Amino acid sequence: KMEDIDQFLPAHNNLVEIRLFAVKKEMRKQGIAIKMLQLLIPHLIDSGYDLGVISASIKELELYNNIGAIPFGTLVGTNEVPYQPMYFHIENLKGAFRI
Protein backbone atom coordinates (compact mmCIF):
# COMPACT_ATOMS: atom_id res chain seq x y z
CA LYS A 1 0.00 0.00 0.00
CA MET A 2 3.05 2.25 -0.03
CA GLU A 3 4.47 4.00 -3.07
CA ASP A 4 8.16 3.39 -3.88
CA ILE A 5 8.72 1.02 -0.94
CA ASP A 6 12.35 0.36 -1.92
CA GLN A 7 13.35 3.82 -0.71
CA PHE A 8 12.70 2.59 2.85
CA LEU A 9 14.39 -0.82 2.58
CA PRO A 10 18.00 -1.96 2.80
CA ALA A 11 19.63 -3.61 -0.20
CA HIS A 12 18.10 -6.99 -1.00
CA ASN A 13 17.89 -9.52 -3.79
CA ASN A 14 14.52 -11.17 -3.30
CA LEU A 15 11.72 -9.56 -1.30
CA VAL A 16 8.70 -11.35 0.15
CA GLU A 17 5.63 -9.80 1.73
CA ILE A 18 4.03 -11.70 4.59
CA ARG A 19 0.30 -10.98 4.45
CA LEU A 20 -2.56 -11.85 6.74
CA PHE A 21 -0.27 -13.31 9.42
CA ALA A 22 -2.70 -13.74 12.29
CA VAL A 23 -3.74 -15.98 15.14
CA LYS A 24 -7.34 -16.14 16.35
CA LYS A 25 -7.82 -13.89 19.35
CA GLU A 26 -8.75 -16.74 21.70
CA MET A 27 -5.60 -18.65 20.67
CA ARG A 28 -3.08 -15.83 21.20
CA LYS A 29 -0.32 -15.84 23.81
CA GLN A 30 0.18 -19.59 23.40
CA GLY A 31 3.25 -19.52 21.17
CA ILE A 32 1.32 -20.22 17.97
CA ALA A 33 2.76 -17.23 16.08
CA ILE A 34 6.27 -18.39 16.97
CA LYS A 35 5.51 -21.92 15.75
CA MET A 36 4.09 -20.53 12.51
CA LEU A 37 7.27 -18.52 11.96
CA GLN A 38 9.46 -21.54 12.75
CA LEU A 39 7.70 -23.40 9.94
CA LEU A 40 7.70 -20.46 7.53
CA ILE A 41 11.31 -19.25 7.84
CA PRO A 42 13.07 -22.34 6.39
CA HIS A 43 10.67 -22.26 3.44
CA LEU A 44 11.48 -18.60 2.79
CA ILE A 45 15.22 -19.26 2.98
CA ASP A 46 14.95 -22.30 0.69
CA SER A 47 12.96 -20.17 -1.77
CA GLY A 48 15.76 -17.60 -1.92
CA TYR A 49 14.11 -14.72 -0.10
CA ASP A 50 16.49 -12.48 1.83
CA LEU A 51 14.20 -9.69 3.05
CA GLY A 52 10.63 -9.75 4.25
CA VAL A 53 8.08 -7.02 4.84
CA ILE A 54 4.94 -7.11 6.90
CA SER A 55 2.24 -4.70 7.99
CA ALA A 56 2.42 -5.41 11.70
CA SER A 57 -0.54 -4.97 14.01
CA ILE A 58 0.46 -2.24 16.42
CA LYS A 59 -0.99 -4.44 19.17
CA GLU A 60 1.73 -7.02 18.42
CA LEU A 61 4.76 -4.75 17.97
CA GLU A 62 6.54 -6.46 20.86
CA LEU A 63 6.55 -9.76 18.93
CA TYR A 64 7.96 -8.12 15.81
CA ASN A 65 10.53 -6.11 17.76
CA ASN A 66 11.65 -9.30 19.51
CA ILE A 67 12.42 -10.98 16.19
CA GLY A 68 14.38 -7.98 14.95
CA ALA A 69 11.81 -6.45 12.61
CA ILE A 70 12.54 -2.81 11.84
CA PRO A 71 9.74 -0.26 11.44
CA PHE A 72 9.72 2.04 8.42
CA GLY A 73 7.43 4.61 6.88
CA THR A 74 4.21 5.81 8.41
CA LEU A 75 1.29 3.78 9.72
CA VAL A 76 -0.96 2.19 7.12
CA GLY A 77 -4.45 0.77 7.38
CA THR A 78 -7.20 2.80 8.99
CA ASN A 79 -7.55 4.92 12.12
CA GLU A 80 -9.50 2.05 13.68
CA VAL A 81 -7.03 -0.64 12.61
CA PRO A 82 -3.56 0.82 12.06
CA TYR A 83 -0.52 -1.22 11.02
CA GLN A 84 3.19 -0.45 11.17
CA PRO A 85 5.16 -1.40 8.04
CA MET A 86 8.24 -3.39 9.10
CA TYR A 87 11.04 -5.26 7.38
CA PHE A 88 13.26 -8.10 8.55
CA HIS A 89 16.32 -9.90 7.26
CA ILE A 90 15.19 -13.49 6.82
CA GLU A 91 18.57 -15.09 7.56
CA ASN A 92 18.64 -13.22 10.90
CA LEU A 93 15.39 -14.90 11.93
CA LYS A 94 17.01 -18.34 12.12
CA GLY A 95 18.79 -17.34 15.33
CA ALA A 96 15.67 -15.78 16.80
CA PHE A 97 13.85 -19.09 16.42
CA ARG A 98 16.72 -21.56 16.80
CA ILE A 99 16.06 -23.10 13.41
Side-chain angles (χ1 to χ4, degrees), residues 31 34 41 43 46-47 53 58-60 64 68 77-78 82 86 91 95-96:
I34 300 301
I41 292 163
H43 175 71
D46 290 346
S47 297
V53 293
I58 61 170
K59 295 177 184 176
E60 297 298 330
Y64 296 105
T78 65
M86 302 184 93
E91 272 293 328

Side-chain angles (χ1 to χ4, degrees), residues 9-93:
L9 303 177
H12 58 279
N13 295 315
N14 203 4
L15 178 69
V16 64
E17 179 184 13
I18 308 298
R19 297 191 77 193
L20 304 174
F21 185 80
V23 176
K24 287 183 178 182
K25 192 171 191 170
E26 63 272 12
M27 302 297 289
R28 293 180 188 157
K29 306 297 182 196
Q30 298 180 37
I32 294 170
I34 300 301
K35 296 283 187 205
M36 289 169 53
L37 287 168
Q38 286 174 324
L39 292 170
L40 178 63
I41 292 163
H43 175 71
L44 296 176
I45 291 169
D46 290 346
S47 297
Y49 295 109
D50 60 338
L51 193 73
V53 293
I54 192 163
S55 295
S57 167
I58 61 170
K59 295 177 184 176
E60 297 298 330
L61 287 181
E62 182 179 356
L63 167 71
Y64 296 105
N65 288 328
N66 286 341
I67 66 169
I70 300 165
F72 68 90
T74 58
L75 294 179
V76 296
T78 65
N79 288 338
E80 295 82 25
V81 186
Y83 295 92
Q84 174 63 60
M86 302 184 93
Y87 71 83
F88 51 90
H89 298 276
I90 292 171
E91 272 293 328
N92 292 350
L93 296 179

